[in-house]
Every structure is written in structure tokens, then in C-alpha cells.
Amino acid sequence: MTKDILLAHPWFAPCLAALIAVPLALVVHRIGGMVLLRLTRHAPVVHAMLLNIQGPARFVLPLIALQMVWQAAPEDLAFINSVRHVNGLLFIAAATWLAIRAVNGIADGVLAKHPHDVEDNLQARRVLTQTRVLARTAGTVLLVAGASLMLMTFPGARQVGASLLASAGVIGIVAGLAAKPVFSNLIAGLQIALAQPIRIDDVLVVEGEWGRVEEITGTFVVLRIWDDRRLILPLSYFIEKPFQNWTRSSAQLLGSVFIYADYGMPLAPLREEVERIVKSAPEWDGRFFNLRVTDATDRTMQIRVLCTAASSSLAFDLRCTVREGLIDFMQREYPQFLPRLRVEGGPQSQAEVEAAAPSTTRLSSASRG
């Protein structure tokens, strides 16, 4: 009797179909995933994407199977519309998750093909910056689109969902709204990804601080200062304000060292010493160096040394090495020509000495007299 009642229940056939469809979908996911991973072993981008979407696909395929079962159920079945609605919401959420993971997987595959931990990593850093910024931007757009589609399934919220979806589709219009910093940063992120005024690991001088670009997010840039502090700047800063990029086209840099010496200092020994110091320094890249007198004051002459290095950090170390070497050389060989204040003239009378002395000294002498 109970068995007959159960078999006659209108929900029996849909539930039985659902119990069969879900395991079948999971089997398809398992076998299909193994086959696709094996076929894409030599395609790192697609392989990385498939690895990333395995988790979401485990939910998407059963939800698709369930939605097919509910759609095939009779229209007069009690609560079928609510079940279809809930299943549809879960499917949209899972599909959005899968799409975001797919974008991240493609980004991981692209980055794996362009490792940036090599000596000449200029091209790799370009790819790294573009990939990360575009992946985060695409993830944001997909998330907004998914939320909009879920809202549009509710009759009372369709207008709100349509508005959000339209905003995601014409987001370039929002760039003109200065009161929307989030969208402004989103557009700035796209500009940075395409034009690349900065890249990951670029050496910048911003707000008087020297550092490397450590991270570029969807809204801000993290600059690692030389003393391990972090400077956080919005993306729009690098579109609207000037800054120095020491590695824009190449990491090679020309460093300068300035020292001051008395006019009696011969230049030939200094040039020989500069050549010896630079050529023996491991930081020098072998491109160029020279020594020139670039300025002269009433007391000293300004001597400039130029030398090249393969990166900004090596250039800094090379400048310090050259500066220390020249100071040591002058202290050892020509100490008499180090900068000093000289006072020349014959013996002065007592009146001239008192006139040149501070007023407090004259007052003291008067009181003693």
C-alpha cells in the first residue's frame, strides 16, 4: 500500500530522475576531467584553466542535470517553479564561480609560460602586469554580471539587475564621474594593463620615495620602499600624476658620484684611480665610465664620476664603492687637497683682531679693563 502511494506521488518520477542524473553528472565530470587533462598536457594555458575549474565544475554539471530534470517535470507539479528558481540561482552562482576560476586559470597558465624570476625579465614583467590586472578586472566584471543575472530572476528586482548589467557593459562611461573612485581605479587598471606605465618589480620614485612595485591590485598599487616600508597608492595616481620609472624600457642605469677637491688636486691620478675602482667592481656592467670637472666655486672644484650598472640596486652599490674609493685615495695620497677653508693674509694689528672678533669678546675685554 505504501509502495503504491509512493509510486503514485507526482514528485516520485522527478526525484528518481534527479537521483540518477546527479551521479551520472559526477561520473561525466570525473571521466571527462581526466581525459581533458591528459589531452591538454602539452598546452599549459588550457591545462592550467582545466585544473582551476575542477572544483566549480563539480557543482555546475549536477546543477545542469537537475535543471534539465526540473524543466522536464510537469508544469502543474506543486512547487516546481520555486525549485526551478532555486536551482537556477545556484547554477548562476556556480557558473560565475567557474568563469572567474577559468579566467584565473588562464592567467596562471600565461604566467607559467613567462617566468619573471630570471635575469632579463623585462618582457616577463610586462606579461605579468597585464595578465594580473586584466584577470582581476575580468573577475570583477564577471562577478557583477553574475549578481545582475541572479537579481533579474526576481520579477521585482529585474530593473535593478538590468541597471547593474548595463553599468558593467558601458563601464567606460563611468570614468568621467570623478565622484566614483572605484570605477575610476577600474579604468586606471585597464590603462595600466594596456599602456603599462608601471609593471610588477619596476623601480619607481614616487612622493620622494624609492622602491619597487610589489603588487598591483584592482584598486591600488603596493610600492615596497628600500627600507621595507610599504607605500600604498591608488591606481589613478599613476595616470594623473608624474613619477619616475627607472626600469621603464631597461633596468640598466647610469649612476653619478660627486666629490669636491681643492684646485691643487691633479686630475690624472684621479682618473686612473676611477678606472681601477670601476673595472674591479663586480657591480659595473662594462658599458661606460668617465670623470669630469663639472663645476667650480671660489673654494673647490666639483668632480663628477659617471658609471653604469645593470640595475638600480647595483648602480647604488657601485656609486657607493666609487665614492668610498676616491675618498680613501685622496686621504691616503693627496690629503693636502681635500676641501678646506683657507684664510690667507699677513699679521694683523690688535685693533684689526678686535674688530674681527665677536662683540661679546670685545665686551668681555672692556669689562676686564
Side-chain angles (χ1 to χ4, degrees):
M1 183 69 177
T2 304
K3 182 178 180 182
D4 293 338
I5 295 174
L6 182 63
L7 292 175
H9 197 280
W11 272 97
F12 176 77
C15 289
L16 180 63
L19 290 175
I20 297 173
V22 170
L24 283 177
L26 292 175
V27 170
V28 170
H29 168 266
R30 185 62 180 269
I31 297 176
M34 293 174 59
V35 172
L36 290 175
L37 287 175
R38 183 176 293 274
L39 292 175
T40 58
R41 283 179 302 176
H42 303 293
V45 176
V46 180
H47 191 77
M49 182 197 69
L50 290 174
L51 285 175
N52 254 32
I53 65 173
Q54 276 191 322
R58 191 176 291 113
F59 294 94
V60 170
L61 291 178
L63 287 170
I64 292 175
L66 285 174
Q67 192 66 19
M68 294 173 63
V69 171
W70 307 140
Q71 291 296 332
E75 293 292 334
D76 58 349
L77 188 63
F79 307 112
I80 188 61
N81 289 329
S82 298
V83 172
R84 290 171 180 171
H85 188 200
V86 171
N87 195 97
L89 290 174
L90 293 175
F91 170 71
I92 293 173
T96 302
W97 180 26
L98 184 142
I100 294 173
R101 290 294 298 270
V103 170
N104 293 335
I106 293 173
D108 292 341
V110 172
L111 295 180
K113 293 180 64 177
H114 300 84
H116 63 280
D117 54 348
V118 295
E119 184 175 354
D120 185 10
N121 63 354
L122 181 61
Q123 179 62 26
R125 289 191 293 114
R126 288 175 179 168
V127 174
L128 174 64
T129 303
Q130 284 184 330
T131 303
R132 284 189 176 177
V133 174
L134 290 176
R136 285 169 179 163
T137 303
T140 302
V141 172
L142 289 171
L143 191 61
V144 172
S148 303
L149 290 173
M150 293 179 72
L151 282 175
M152 291 176 68
T153 62
F154 297 92
R158 283 180 182 173
Q159 187 61 38
V160 178
S163 300
L164 283 176
L165 194 59
S167 298
V170 294
I171 199 167
I173 300 175
V174 188
L177 303 176
K180 303 290 184 182
V182 174
F183 293 107
S184 177
N185 282 326
L186 182 61
I187 299 302
L190 290 174
Q191 289 178 296
I192 287 174
L194 299 176
Q196 292 200 335
I198 60 172
R199 296 178 295 266
I200 299 294
D201 207 37
D202 265 351
V203 176
L204 308 181
V205 178
V206 183
E207 299 290 328
E209 298 283 4
W210 181 96
R212 290 182 178 273
V213 177
E214 185 176 56
E215 186 180 3
I216 302 177
T217 70
T219 55
F220 60 86
V221 175
V222 179
L223 191 68
R224 181 178 180 178
I225 309 302
W226 63 273
D227 57 359
D228 282 343
R229 289 177 294 140
R230 283 357 184 234
L231 182 63
I232 311 299
L233 296 162
L235 285 175
S236 56
Y237 179 96
F238 297 94
I239 303 301
E240 299 171 357
K241 296 185 179 181
F243 60 92
Q244 294 184 40
N245 188 337
W246 289 10
T247 53
R248 177 69 180 88
S249 57
S250 173
Q252 295 176 336
L253 206 63
L254 178 67
S256 59
V257 176
F258 291 93
I259 62 171
Y260 297 85
D262 189 84
Y263 281 105
M265 178 67 205
L267 297 177
L270 273 182
R271 285 196 171 94
E272 293 176 1
E273 183 64 13
V274 166
E275 182 176 4
R276 185 193 68 79
I277 294 172
V278 171
K279 288 186 175 181
S280 63
E283 299 88 357
W284 186 52
D285 61 2
R287 287 189 295 138
F288 173 77
F289 74 91
N290 76 352
L291 180 146
R292 289 287 186 271
V293 176
T294 54
D295 197 6
T297 68
D298 57 340
R299 296 176 181 175
T300 60
M301 57 180 175
Q302 182 188 70
I303 300 172
R304 184 193 69 186
V305 177
L306 296 179
C307 45
T308 58
S311 67
S312 58
S313 57
L314 292 177
F316 180 83
D317 292 339
L318 179 59
R319 290 167 59 197
C320 294
T321 300
V322 172
R323 189 181 297 111
E324 293 171 2
L326 287 179
I327 292 174
D328 180 69
F329 174 74
M330 291 184 65
Q331 288 175 338
R332 186 178 65 252
E333 302 294 338
Y334 299 94
Q336 69 275 25
F337 297 133
L338 290 171
R340 64 184 63 194
L341 179 62
R342 294 180 293 181
V343 178
E344 297 181 356
Q348 295 177 311
S349 65
Q350 181 65 24
E352 291 175 335
V353 172
E354 290 182 357
S359 58
T360 55
T361 304
R362 296 200 298 272
L363 289 173
S364 177
S365 300
S367 64
R368 287 198 300 271

